[in-house]
Amino acid sequence: MVLGIVIALLAGLFISTQGSINGLVGNRIGVTPTVIVPVAYQILLYSTALLMNRKWWTELTAVTQYPMGWGYLLISALLGIGIMITITMSMMRIGPLLGLAIIVLSQLGMSMIIEHFGWFQQTQRAISLNRVLGLLMFVIGIWFFVRK
């Protein structure tokens, strides 16, 4: 559990930093190159790592054994592009604090819906008054962050 929390905290740090950098660059050169260049770098880095690690090849072939594995991963890739575009654009227009606060709010809301319906084989957890109040408190927190 502790390791999962640490990894989640790191993810938040990465997202905030990447979004801020992309917003800075995107304001100067536009969204398209700001999204395409990091993706090209990622492809290059992952391809190099894949060539150097035989175990990863074995893991990669396991995708074919999972029903809809390639399809789900294609959807994931498209969502990843959408994530980079929307984070970059939100940073460019409303800045990192408000942008990421709203992004996290929408992530919490969507995650609550995914858990409620058990989509993607997630454990079902009903939407409760406590969860809705938690989201409402988050909205109030955002309001305190941005009010002058």
Side-chain angles (χ1 to χ4, degrees), residues 70-93:
W70 288 108
Y72 282 136
L73 293 178
L74 173 60
I75 293 167
S76 177
L78 295 173
L79 288 169
I81 292 169
I83 290 166
M84 285 188 66
I85 290 169
T86 54
I87 288 176
T88 300
M89 291 177 73
S90 70
M91 298 295 169
M92 291 168 59
R93 287 174 172 74

Side-chain angles (χ1 to χ4, degrees), residues 50-72:
L50 188 60
L51 289 172
M52 299 171 74
N53 190 328
R54 211 173 225 313
K55 182 182 175 223
W56 288 0
W57 276 107
T58 306
E59 291 174 352
L60 186 62
T61 59
V63 174
T64 59
Q65 298 169 9
Y66 181 72
M68 285 293 297
W70 288 108
Y72 282 136

Side-chain angles (χ1 to χ4, degrees), residues 42-139:
Q42 289 170 350
I43 290 169
L44 179 66
L45 292 169
Y46 277 121
S47 297
T48 303
L50 188 60
L51 289 172
M52 299 171 74
N53 190 328
R54 211 173 225 313
K55 182 182 175 223
W56 288 0
W57 276 107
T58 306
E59 291 174 352
L60 186 62
T61 59
V63 174
T64 59
Q65 298 169 9
Y66 181 72
M68 285 293 297
W70 288 108
Y72 282 136
L73 293 178
L74 173 60
I75 293 167
S76 177
L78 295 173
L79 288 169
I81 292 169
I83 290 166
M84 285 188 66
I85 290 169
T86 54
I87 288 176
T88 300
M89 291 177 73
S90 70
M91 298 295 169
M92 291 168 59
R93 287 174 172 74
I94 60 177
L97 180 61
L98 180 57
L100 284 169
I102 294 170
I103 289 166
V104 171
L105 176 67
S106 69
Q107 286 176 311
L108 290 170
M110 187 63 192
S111 296
M112 189 167 54
I113 292 167
I114 288 169
E115 283 188 355
H116 178 77
F117 292 106
W119 293 342
F120 312 113
Q121 299 177 356
Q122 297 297 317
T123 303
Q124 277 191 277
R125 292 183 60 193
I127 294 175
S128 66
L129 180 60
N130 283 346
R131 290 175 141 204
V132 172
L133 289 175
L135 283 179
L136 182 60
M137 290 173 64
F138 200 99
V139 169

Side-chain angles (χ1 to χ4, degrees), residues 6-21:
V6 169
I7 291 170
L9 288 170
L10 282 172
L13 296 174
F14 293 162
I15 291 168
S16 296
T17 305
Q18 181 198 35
S20 295
I21 290 169

